[in-house]
């Protein structure tokens, strides 16, 4: 048919367009002009990026950041090898960082090896990382550093970090799902053994309730304390020719020898760093007692390694110490390297993230690699520089033994604790329960495996508290032995091994390992305590006939209790929730969404009842708390930080209770997690609610930067009545733990007391943190104690906690908060005494 068509049909008004040939030509042209660069990420995935040959490194970096949707991107970089050497070889001089200011073609050349995305600047504290996804990338990097043995760390620390990895990936320990070998296929530690897996399993049980983000934060929080954390190592030789390693960190230059830190030259002590050929020089600041400058010279392996170290110092100093990079100056005849750090600093990164807000994004976490196990000897237990070896089999039939009966497998050293919350930037301090009861020195006790766990142990060098027994369960060997093991007894030795300065987890592990020996016998040495019962000291013990004597004696008892650890031991014996006070209203279906935490509920008998709330629901997570001390009755409303759906209820409570002072002891978010919804409008703006109108009239920040002062105008919509509300917000409490010093907190408490004295009404003071129990309880106890000191009355902090918990459950949430507030009260008393002595 086509043959019959004449040539005339294709002549004249006709044409063709060769699409395929042009597509191939364009593809060839793009290939000639561009580069295909493979980047391997921290989860071991790879992605190919196409960039122009003439493009600079910053273009590829930006493609990578966009691919990951990174916000806090300046901590990361791309590293590559010119000769294909393994990336795990940390001492290789051939590993280079991609320079954003130079062209890719000049840097990569014909490099066929993938670039590695990794952390370049290790943050000093993970709480500085505001994005959960950024912390996850740091977590992946440190896991890789450990598995590739670039990060040297004690065996006990590696086991602890591995337990957080298991919690992040598998969630809470469940005996029905997690069999005896559930960790055998996870690659967690180099040289992983069954003994290591058993210890990891025991620690995994303690992390119940932690979300993946929580477990990863705890992983980073422990990793930052490792001596080799974030150290960029470079090989060198000193003047005597000894092999050393120079590490560049956020602190400065660290000198190592055989992986042991010798000395640190902080950035504040360094005047200048320079290099010339293979020599590297450090000029130190002159001390007041010196009449000369100190110049240290070190020999590097090659000129290139010397320059690489110098560039790393320039980048780390600029990133961590300066607010903005130094501007390049162009000198036509300048000598030496013109290299400067051109990226953003840590200060700029943190400022930008705070301004734009935290990005809540969802992402998929990558699982651990599968492991083919090779049996290796189990490591010794370590404790801050010394080794605690597991106790050997006793030499004699009766020497230093505790006999265990039965043939069943021993119980685990820890039991699960279902009381989980995440209040005020920290998890509950879990009680570690063990089936082995320490006894008085020289006593032999026996145990049956079917008996319940007996003592509760607290303390250890990791918490700066002696190892103490805080609870003895009834009808257990510890309860039945003669003399009876008592709360507050201090554990000193296990089978002759000194544990007075050991970590908590190592003490429990030693007891468990001794129990698992073939003899199954244990000998413990304890120091008995004088605190044999959980009861307040009767007031008759204080001599009130001498002014100030009762107060002085109570403060002496407080100081002695802090020093011995007995104060915290007694605190641990208190109930968290009163057993006879129900919280039924909080558990109703319509009220559950109004609770910030599932385990923190108000007592029905002391809860605040709303009278005219929107929707007719009278529930709010708040309790009346009244503290009577020294003839003064301080009234509080302790409540949780408002949620988006409870802002209306919060202001309705302020209106109905005639309150004029709100104390906020938290920030709006911590570690990337919301702690309190912003329940007030911006300065000069108004917030219209169901029954009230709120306007922010003033907002100031004190000279320390840790206290915000605000004044609100609260308008009753129905009556048009106006009331001035004062708002004090304390933001100097760190994201995790407690403040380092009580001084700033005591100043804030004094400001709260002054605001209460100058108030227009005697209405209760509204105080809240996130859950309304931890920092809230600390503030209530501190103000109550200061009132007692002011009137010369004795201070009984344990009785104050008991009084608070009879009105709102779990007030002062954990032992570290209790210790902090007791230290603060004692510091306030000491200051008053010193001022009185100066006045006389």
């Amino acid at each position: 048919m086509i043959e019959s068509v004449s040539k005339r049909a294709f002549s004249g008004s006709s044409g063709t367009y060769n699409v395929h040939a042009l597509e191939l030509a364009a593809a060839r042209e793009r290939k000639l002009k561009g580069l295909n660069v493979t980047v391997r990420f921290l989860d071991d995935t790879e992605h190919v990026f196409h960039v122009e040959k003439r493009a600079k490194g910053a273009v590829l970096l930006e493609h990578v950041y966009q691919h990951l949707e990174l916000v806090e991107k300046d901590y990361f970089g791309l590293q590559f090898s010119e000769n294909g050497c393994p990336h795990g070889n940390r001492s290789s001089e051939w590993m280079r960082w991609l320079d954003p200011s130079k062209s890719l073609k000049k840097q990569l050349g014909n490099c066929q090896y993938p670039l590695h995305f990794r952390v370049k600047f290790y943050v000093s504290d993970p709480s500085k990382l505001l994005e959960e996804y950024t912390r996850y990338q740091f977590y992946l990097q440190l896991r890789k550093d450990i598995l590739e043995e670039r990060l040297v760390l004690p065996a006990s620390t590696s086991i602890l970090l591995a337990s957080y990895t298991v919690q992040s990936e598998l969630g809470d320990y469940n005996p029905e799902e997690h069999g005896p070998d559930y960790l055998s296929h996870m690659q967690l530690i180099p040289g992983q053994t069954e003994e290591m897996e058993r210890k990891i399993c025991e620690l995994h049980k303690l992390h119940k309730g932690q979300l993946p983000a929580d477990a990863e934060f705890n992983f980073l929080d422990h990793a930052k304390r490792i001596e080799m954390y974030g150290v960029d190592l470079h090989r060198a030789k000193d003047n005597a020719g000894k092999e050393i390693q120079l590490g560049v960190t956020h602190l400065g230059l660290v000198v190592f020898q055989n992986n042991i830190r010798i000395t640190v030259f902080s950035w504040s002590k360094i005047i200048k760093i320079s290099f010339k050929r293979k020599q590297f020089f450090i000029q130190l600041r002159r001390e007041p007692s010196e009449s000369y400058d100190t110049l240290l010279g070190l020999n590097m392996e090659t000129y290139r390694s010397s320059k690489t170290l110098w560039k790393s110092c320039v980048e780390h100093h600029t990133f961590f110490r300066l607010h903005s990079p130094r501007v390049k100056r162009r000198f036509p005849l300048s000598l030496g390297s013109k290299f400067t750090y051109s990226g953003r600093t840590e200060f700029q990164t943190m400022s930008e993230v705070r301004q734009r807000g935290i990005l809540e994004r969802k992402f998929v976490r990558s699982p651990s690699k599968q492991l083919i196990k090779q049996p290796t000897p189990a490591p010794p237990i370590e404790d801050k520089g010394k080794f605690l070896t597991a106790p050997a089999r006793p030499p004699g039939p009766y020497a230093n033994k505790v006999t265990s009966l039965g043939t069943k497998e021993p119980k685990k050293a820890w039991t699960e604790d279902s009381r989980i919350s995440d209040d005020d930037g920290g998890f509950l301090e879990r009680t570690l329960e063990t089936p082995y009861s320490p006894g008085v020195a020289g006593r032999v006790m026996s145990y049956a495996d079917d008996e319940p766990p007996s003592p509760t142990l607290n303390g250890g060098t990791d918490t700066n508290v002696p190892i103490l027994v805080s609870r003895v369960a009834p009808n257990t060997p510890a309860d039945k032995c003669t003399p009876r093991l008592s709360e507050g007894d201090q554990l000193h030795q296990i089978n002759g091994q000194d544990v007075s300065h050991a970590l908590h987890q190592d003490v429990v592990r030693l007891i468990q390992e001794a129990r698992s020996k073939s003899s199954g016998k244990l000998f413990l040495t304890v120091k008995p305590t004088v605190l044999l019962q959980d009861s307040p000291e009767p007031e008759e013990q204080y001599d009130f006939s001498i002014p100030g004597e009762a107060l002085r004696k109570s403060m002496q008892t407080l100081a002695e209790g802090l020093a011995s650890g007995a104060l915290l031991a007694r605190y641990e014996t208190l109930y968290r929730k009163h057993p006879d006070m129900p919280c039924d209203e909080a558990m109703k279906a319509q009220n559950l969404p109004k609770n910030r935490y599932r385990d923190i509920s108000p007592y029905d008998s002391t809860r605040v009842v709303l009278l005219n709330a929107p929707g007719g629901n009278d529930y709010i997570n708040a309790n009346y708390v009244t503290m009577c001390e020294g003839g003064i009755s301080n009234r509080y409303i302790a409540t949780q930080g408002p949620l988006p759906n409870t802002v209306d209820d919060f202001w309705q409570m302020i209106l109905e209770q005639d309150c004029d002072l709100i104390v906020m002891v938290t920030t709006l978010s911590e570690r990337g997690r919301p702690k309190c919804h912003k329940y007030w409008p911006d300065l000069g703006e108004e917030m219209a609610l169901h029954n009230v109108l709120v306007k922010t009239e003033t907002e100031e920040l004190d000279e320390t930067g840790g206290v915000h002062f605000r004044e609100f105008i609260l308008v009753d919509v129905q009556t048009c009545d106006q009331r001035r509300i004062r708002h004090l917000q304390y933001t100097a409490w760190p994201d995790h733990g407690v403040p380092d010093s009580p001084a700033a907190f005591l100043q804030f408490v004094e400001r709260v007391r002054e605001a209460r004295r100058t108030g227009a009404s005697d209405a209760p003071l509204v105080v809240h943190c996130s859950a309304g129990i931890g920092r809230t309880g600390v503030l209530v106890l501190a103000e109550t104690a200061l009132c007692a000191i002011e009137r010369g009355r004795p201070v009984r902090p344990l009785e104050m906690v008991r009084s608070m918990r009879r009105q709102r459950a779990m007030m002062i949430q954990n032992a570290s908060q209790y210790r902090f507030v007791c230290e603060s009260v004692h510091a306030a008393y000491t200051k008053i005494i010193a001022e009185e002595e100066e006045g006389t």
Side-chain angles (χ1 to χ4, degrees), residues 272-400:
K272 187 185 297 183
I273 51 175
S274 58
F275 74 98
K276 186 175 182 180
R277 295 186 180 91
K278 293 195 301 182
Q279 288 187 307
F280 185 82
F281 301 99
I282 308 171
Q283 184 177 349
L284 301 178
R285 188 182 304 277
R286 183 183 302 181
E287 297 295 335
S289 59
E290 297 175 345
S291 59
Y292 54 88
D293 293 332
T294 301
L295 181 65
L296 301 177
L298 302 168
N299 296 314
M300 308 298 293
E301 292 182 333
T302 63
Y303 154 76
R304 184 164 190 173
S305 61
S306 183
K307 184 176 181 180
T308 301
L309 172 59
W310 178 79
K311 290 174 67 174
S312 179
C313 291
V314 172
E315 291 177 327
H316 277 76
H317 176 262
T318 306
F319 183 81
F320 287 109
R321 298 284 291 181
L322 303 185
H323 281 190
S324 60
R326 185 170 63 90
V327 179
K328 289 184 178 181
R329 295 182 180 180
R330 299 185 179 274
F331 296 102
L333 300 177
S334 62
L335 301 176
S337 175
K338 301 179 180 63
F339 172 79
T340 58
Y341 176 69
S342 57
R344 294 190 306 178
T345 65
E346 183 181 45
F347 176 82
Q348 291 173 323
T349 298
M350 295 177 63
S351 299
E352 182 188 358
V353 174
R354 288 195 184 102
Q355 290 175 3
R356 66 184 297 174
I358 298 171
L359 176 65
E360 296 290 343
R361 54 167 296 187
K362 295 181 179 180
F363 57 92
V364 179
R365 290 172 163 84
S366 61
S368 295
K369 293 181 179 179
Q370 296 296 305
L371 174 66
I372 301 176
K373 293 173 57 178
Q374 299 292 335
T376 57
I381 300 172
E382 299 184 18
D383 169 35
K384 293 191 176 181
K386 68 176 182 178
F387 290 90
L388 295 178
T389 57
R393 184 170 180 172
Y398 301 105
N400 303 337

Side-chain angles (χ1 to χ4, degrees), residues 116 170 213 390 416 480 483 512 531 535 573 582 584 601 643 646 698 765 770 800:
H116 299 269
L170 303 184
E416 298 172 357
K480 296 177 181 178
Q512 185 186 26
L531 302 176
S535 60
T573 66
D584 296 337
S601 307
L643 293 160
T646 64
T698 64
L765 181 156
S770 180
M800 293 177 185

Side-chain angles (χ1 to χ4, degrees), residues 447-464:
Y447 301 85
D449 285 332
D450 56 351
E451 290 178 340
S454 108
T456 299
L457 296 177
N458 289 315
T461 55
D462 45 349
T463 57
N464 295 321

Side-chain angles (χ1 to χ4, degrees), residues 608-626:
V608 177
V609 179
L610 301 179
L611 302 178
N612 190 27
N617 189 340
D618 67 0
Y619 176 78
I620 185 172
N621 193 317
N623 288 102
Y624 297 107
V625 176
T626 302

